[in-house]
Amino acid sequence: MGSTQFGYTGLRVRDIDRAIEFFTNVLGMKLRERIEATWNKGVFANLGYDGDEHYLELNWYAKDSPHYTEFVEGDQLDHLGMSVKDFDGTLKRLEDAGYPVKIGPVHEGNWHIAFVKGYEGIWLDIYKVDDDQKE
């Protein structure tokens, strides 16, 4: 699986603004981007350190989002992001192993995203970003 890389860790938060403040002001991370995800009634904020490819994605969901759950301390791990070169092949390999896609696939711009409930219920965001340099 050399075509797969561990891209980011997604944490669920109750208050995205306060969480951003904590990770930037207290831990010194930089806010890379904040995304209003209307397709799932959520907000994502990507943070990281200069020179570090792995990043932290903070996830907040509105109460009427299909992904909202009551906040329980200790349940903050939302999902692990896995960057892949072969999006369809990876999804097929997961499905063949008994882990079919549960959410998606979603194609927005040059992003391809699918969520798989993996071993012991750990959610994986399988994603591929198309190269903008294609001719």
Side-chain angles (χ1 to χ4, degrees), residues 94-121:
L94 284 162
E95 182 173 4
D96 290 348
Y99 304 101
V101 170
K102 297 291 186 181
I103 302 170
V106 174
H107 305 282
E108 282 208 15
N110 59 346
W111 283 79
H112 307 275
I113 305 163
F115 285 87
V116 173
K117 201 174 213 181
Y119 179 73
E120 292 191 356

Side-chain angles (χ1 to χ4, degrees), residues 37-61:
T38 55
W39 59 275
N40 69 3
K41 299 180 181 177
V43 177
F44 308 121
N46 297 324
L47 301 100
Y49 295 107
D50 288 337
D52 194 353
E53 289 186 31
H54 184 267
Y55 63 95
L56 176 65
E57 178 184 270
L58 302 176
N59 306 126
W60 173 87
Y61 302 103

Side-chain angles (χ1 to χ4, degrees), residues 77-127:
L77 176 64
D78 192 70
H79 61 275
L80 302 175
M82 309 303 288
S83 173
V84 300
K85 291 184 192 248
D86 181 2
F87 185 74
D88 294 328
T90 301
L91 297 182
K92 171 101 174 74
R93 190 169 52 252
L94 284 162
E95 182 173 4
D96 290 348
Y99 304 101
V101 170
K102 297 291 186 181
I103 302 170
V106 174
H107 305 282
E108 282 208 15
N110 59 346
W111 283 79
H112 307 275
I113 305 163
F115 285 87
V116 173
K117 201 174 213 181
Y119 179 73
E120 292 191 356
I122 297 170
W123 283 96
L124 303 175
D125 174 355
I126 306 300
Y127 69 96

Side-chain angles (χ1 to χ4, degrees), residues 2 14 21-22 25 28 36-37 52 70 75 77 90 99 124-125:
R14 285 183 274 197
E21 182 180 321
F22 171 77
N25 293 342
E36 303 288 328
D52 194 353
E70 289 295 322
D75 287 347
L77 176 64
T90 301
Y99 304 101
L124 303 175
D125 174 355

